[in-house]
Amino acid sequence: MSKKKIVGVTACSAGIAHTYMAAESLEKAGVAKGYDIKVETQGSIGVENKLTAQEIEAADVVILAVEINIDMTRFAGKRVLRVRAAEAIKNPEALIEKALNEAPIYGEKGTKAGVAKMGKTEEGGFFQHIMAGISYMIPMVIASGLILAIANVYAFQKDDAGRIVNWGFDTSTFMGDLMSNLFSVGQVGFLLMIPLFAGFVANSIAGKPAIAAAMIGTYIANDAEMLGAEAGGGFLAAILVAFAAGYLVKGLKKIPYPKIIQPIVPIMLLPLVSTLLISIFVLYVIGNPMASMMDFLYEGLTTLNENYAAAPVIVGIIIGAMVGFDLGGPINKTALVFGTAVFTDTVAKYGIEGANFVPQTATQAAISVAPLGIWLASILFKKKFSPTEKVSAHSAFGMGMVGVTEGAIPFAAQDPIRMIPAFVAGSAVAGGLAAGLGAKFYGGIGSPLGTFVGYIEQPIPFVTWIFSVMTGVLVTAVIIGFTKKKVE
Amino acid sequence: MVTSILDIQHITFDSSVTTKDEALQFIADFAKEKEIVKSAKAYYKGLKKREQEVTTGFKSSIAIPHCKHKTVKKPALMLVKFANPIEWESMDHQPVHMTFALAIPEGENQEHLTLLSTISRALIDETFTKSIIEAATAEELHATIQNKLLAQSD
């Protein structure tokens, strides 16, 4: 029988004395028993006598005499006995025998190696994938959102009296031209961020081969023109496409390919097949329902508006709710398009006196509620936001203030079940209040600032608008405060 | 290097102390007297805190109270031999007669830490610990320890 091989690690809380005593004890006892033993010490001097991967691999058993948390991953699959450092000093011989006879294999599901419990982390999980996508998307959301916000502020052209008369860029001036271009830059970011998100969600599920299908598929799902729809699918469609692409590729990976083509499977075969299938799926399966949904919603809104013209509160609530639902997705777009269409149609038919302001006023009142609600929640309920989330929440404030709803997307994608109801409720309150209290939104910016940057006719100047929007924001923030989970 | 950390002046004998708490207090005062620490009180607290984490009582009637503390001016090893048996919750449940007290300043000091680890390892050697317990004078103790540490660091 060959010599038994034992490796060990010792570490105590101070890293001064017991670490070395335990190592010395184990070494002495091991040698006395005729074993091959090597003990790594992790003390305040640093790591000494470090175990190599080969030594760990060759060892019959691993003894950890440690009182602090050490990196356990390199011992996965080995038989490991974990004890306190003092036990190795007290009775090293017995400890070595116990390890050789009883040490359980570390890293198997639910095994306990001494004090450190290690359940195998569930591979995958809906939120883990979503979070992976969000972490890659956030820098782009922030950069492009803020650029868009800056340009947006500049787009409100005022007359001599300081009233906003037009929204647009006067490209005959240098600043107007620059801002117009910056606005486009921000839009490019928003165009890219959703496919980027989907790509990394799919990457988290099935690795690099899934990125192509998810990004291309999501791009198409958000390109209204390609789909023949009025609006793209927004981030909800992105989640759908990303998971479809991810699990498709994961499935394709399981096919036993002939050895000869194996090298090209991940770089050519999987991306090609999955992109083809996903694109066709998006074009022919998702595209039509999206167009029909838009039609259906639009029809529904028209009917509602005609039947309840006398009840602006109802229309305002419904329109507001739609704006907060998918933050730039098809439902949001339907509400926006409808609001503008009703306004321009009625102005054309009946003049400004007879125009129907309700849907447009409601959409604009609701448009900033989701991002501002997130921001307010992050101020009121600090403990429920991680440092990264706080940064996102602050940039959501900037975007919300200039009416960019998309600032709330990272939060909605991360936790749709809790966030979307909060956004919908707050947006509905804002829409209902603004319309119900009789505010009339002519033009400008859809946020509390709109009352200064824009032209809104309201029963009590400034106050009605700010009150309506901020009440919605407060509702959203409070709901988030109650439902959002505490940060671990 | 070894002589710089174990000064014969840092070896003392005591016959008044009867409890662990008193022993720690004695060591702290001794450290202050030898100008190893700025404040005896702070060093005592540091030692006490370390004992609360896990006892430093060892086998063969030896304990190694120690702490890393900003009050420590220079790294040092102090040897105190107590005439009375002191309960120290040691590993073999035997009372302690001998303490190797370590004072470590804050910050990086690799050399001293290495030396302390050498001392710690040396205490595993039962012939060594036996000869320490049996040593009657400071000179005898100093020589025994010097020899052992020099042999160990080879």
Side-chain angles (χ1 to χ4, degrees):
Chain A
M1 202 179 83
S2 67
K3 260 187 173 181
K4 290 252 187 236
K5 289 188 172 60
I6 299 165
V7 295
V9 177
T10 62
C12 62
S13 53
I16 292 168
H18 286 109
T19 303
Y20 305 98
M21 294 174 136
E24 184 77 13
S25 297
L26 283 174
E27 284 165 8
K28 280 208 157 172
V31 171
K33 283 180 167 274
Y35 300 138
D36 199 353
I37 186 162
K38 180 172 175 184
V39 182
E40 173 181 309
T41 51
Q42 295 189 10
S44 46
I45 307 172
V47 176
E48 285 178 303
N49 206 21
K50 192 170 172 56
L51 301 173
T52 65
Q54 289 81 4
E55 284 163 347
I56 294 170
E57 180 58 40
D60 292 292
V61 72
V62 180
I63 298 175
L64 304 178
V66 297
E67 271 145 34
I68 55 173
N69 283 323
I70 63 165
D71 176 19
M72 299 287 288
T73 52
R74 57 188 174 141
F75 302 120
K78 298 299 294 181
R79 293 179 60 218
V80 174
L81 184 67
R82 183 169 174 162
V83 296
R84 295 182 70 85
E87 284 184 54
I89 305 172
K90 232 185 278 180
N91 202 343
E93 293 85 3
L95 177 61
I96 290 175
E97 285 313 307
K98 190 181 173 201
L100 285 169
N101 296 329
E102 297 172 20
I105 293 176
Y106 174 76
E108 282 186 339
K109 195 163 185 169
T111 49
K112 268 178 96 174
V115 282
K117 187 171 190 288
M118 164 104 172
K120 194 177 166 217
T121 43
E122 188 66 33
E123 200 188 310
F126 179 77
F127 291 106
Q128 194 190 322
H129 301 315
I130 296 277
M131 289 309 293
I134 290 174
S135 66
Y136 283 95
M137 172 180 66
I138 281 181
M140 191 183 268
V141 175
I142 294 180
S144 46
L146 294 181
I147 290 174
L148 201 61
I150 293 163
N152 205 8
V153 170
Y154 200 81
F156 299 101
Q157 298 172 10
K158 296 180 182 145
D159 64 7
D160 296 338
R163 283 178 306 183
I164 302 287
V165 289
N166 198 7
W167 189 95
F169 297 98
D170 179 3
T171 49
S172 63
T173 67
F174 172 73
M175 279 308 280
D177 192 49
L178 175 67
M179 289 300 167
S180 157
N181 283 330
L182 285 185
F183 192 79
S184 309
V185 168
Q187 281 180 321
V188 170
F190 275 15
L191 194 67
L192 290 175
M193 81 187 194
I194 306 255
L196 180 80
F197 162 74
F200 281 101
V201 171
N203 178 48
S204 165
I205 298 169
K208 294 189 194 93
I211 295 179
M215 289 192 76
I216 295 174
T218 305
Y219 182 92
I220 301 170
N222 276 282
D223 188 329
E225 226 172 280
M226 271 186 87
L227 291 176
E230 294 287 332
F235 77 93
L236 293 175
I239 293 176
L240 178 70
V241 172
F243 277 84
Y247 284 102
L248 173 66
V249 171
K250 206 174 180 181
L252 289 173
K253 272 182 164 176
K254 292 205 173 110
I255 298 170
Y257 296 97
K259 205 162 186 157
I260 187 120
I261 65 159
Q262 270 176 10
I264 61 157
V265 168
I267 55 161
M268 200 176 111
L269 194 75
L270 295 179
L272 173 69
V273 172
S274 59
T275 306
L276 272 173
L277 291 175
I278 291 292
S279 304
I280 288 167
F281 166 74
V282 172
L283 282 170
Y284 295 97
V285 182
I286 298 187
N288 280 331
M290 201 112 67
S292 335
M293 184 173 73
M294 295 278 289
D295 281 346
F296 171 78
L297 288 171
Y298 204 86
E299 293 298 319
L301 282 178
T302 312
T303 315
L304 188 77
N305 193 47
E306 280 162 359
N307 293 341
Y308 295 94
V313 181
I314 295 172
V315 179
I317 287 175
I318 290 171
I319 296 263
M322 287 171 71
V323 168
F325 182 75
D326 57 356
L327 315 169
I331 296 174
N332 168 295
K333 283 288 185 315
T334 306
L336 272 176
V337 169
F338 180 77
T340 317
V342 167
F343 176 65
T344 47
D345 280 359
T346 49
V347 168
K349 270 187 209 161
Y350 312 110
I352 204 79
E353 297 302 315
N356 182 349
F357 285 93
V358 171
Q360 171 161 307
T361 305
T363 53
Q364 297 299 332
I367 207 160
S368 65
V369 168
L372 290 182
I374 278 286
W375 165 76
L376 187 62
S378 80
I379 301 290
L380 296 179
F381 310 98
K382 286 192 169 71
K383 282 185 187 154
K384 296 202 169 186
F385 287 77
S386 72
T388 336
E389 286 178 330
K390 278 180 192 150
V391 173
S392 287
H394 280 114
S395 76
F397 172 76
M399 291 184 236
M401 274 320 218
V402 291
V404 178
T405 322
E406 281 85 344
I409 286 185
F411 293 91
Q414 174 185 342
D415 191 2
I417 310 292
R418 292 192 181 78
M419 290 297 162
I420 293 179
F423 296 156
V424 167
S427 305
V429 167
L433 278 174
L437 294 173
K440 288 182 176 179
F441 187 94
Y442 280 76
I445 181 173
S447 87
L449 285 183
T451 197
F452 308 109
V453 189
Y455 185 65
I456 304 165
E457 207 179 283
Q458 39 194 317
I460 310 166
F462 306 119
V463 176
T464 312
W465 183 256
I466 293 179
F467 169 76
S468 307
V469 177
M470 288 317 288
T471 308
V473 169
L474 187 65
V475 167
T476 296
V478 168
I479 294 176
I480 291 170
F482 278 112
T483 57
K484 194 176 193 305
K485 278 192 203 144
K486 265 202 183 118
V487 176
E488 308 262 312
Chain B
M1 188 181 92
V2 171
T3 42
S4 76
I5 199 156
L6 179 58
D7 189 329
I8 195 156
Q9 297 301 312
H10 294 168
I11 301 175
T12 191
F13 295 82
D14 168 80
S15 57
S16 63
V17 165
T18 54
T19 67
K20 181 173 172 179
D21 227 36
E22 286 169 13
L24 295 179
Q25 190 65 61
F26 181 88
I27 292 164
D29 291 338
F30 183 60
K32 169 75 184 161
E33 186 192 314
K34 296 292 172 193
E35 295 188 341
I36 292 165
V37 299
K38 277 180 237 155
S39 153
K41 200 176 167 190
Y43 184 55
Y44 166 74
K45 278 188 180 167
L47 290 174
K48 184 104 175 137
K49 188 161 168 257
R50 178 64 189 85
E51 293 296 329
Q52 276 160 4
E53 279 167 18
V54 62
T55 177
T56 62
F58 182 57
K59 295 194 283 194
S60 323
S61 301
I62 293 173
I64 42 162
H66 60 274
C67 74
K68 196 172 180 179
H69 199 287
K70 61 175 186 290
T71 193
V72 178
K73 291 196 278 192
K74 54 183 182 188
L77 169 62
M78 291 164 277
L79 255 62
V80 186
K81 195 161 186 183
F82 296 103
N84 300 318
I86 299 159
E87 170 50 40
W88 211 291
E89 302 151 64
S90 34
M91 287 172 187
D92 55 2
H93 307 289
Q94 294 302 308
V96 160
H97 276 289
M98 180 77 168
T99 58
F100 280 66
L102 311 178
I104 303 119
E106 287 278 0
E108 291 291 310
N109 30 105
Q110 295 292 357
E111 275 183 22
H112 318 123
L113 290 171
T114 311
L115 189 62
L116 297 180
S117 74
T118 315
I119 293 165
S120 303
R121 282 175 179 272
L123 293 178
I124 300 296
D125 182 349
E126 280 170 23
T127 21
F128 172 61
T129 52
K130 199 155 174 274
S131 56
I132 295 175
I133 297 296
E134 284 166 2
T137 65
E139 288 74 19
E140 213 177 313
L141 269 173
H142 191 245
T144 312
I145 291 163
Q146 290 286 56
N147 290 339
K148 175 68 184 173
L149 293 188
L150 287 172
Q152 190 111 4
S153 56
D154 284 341

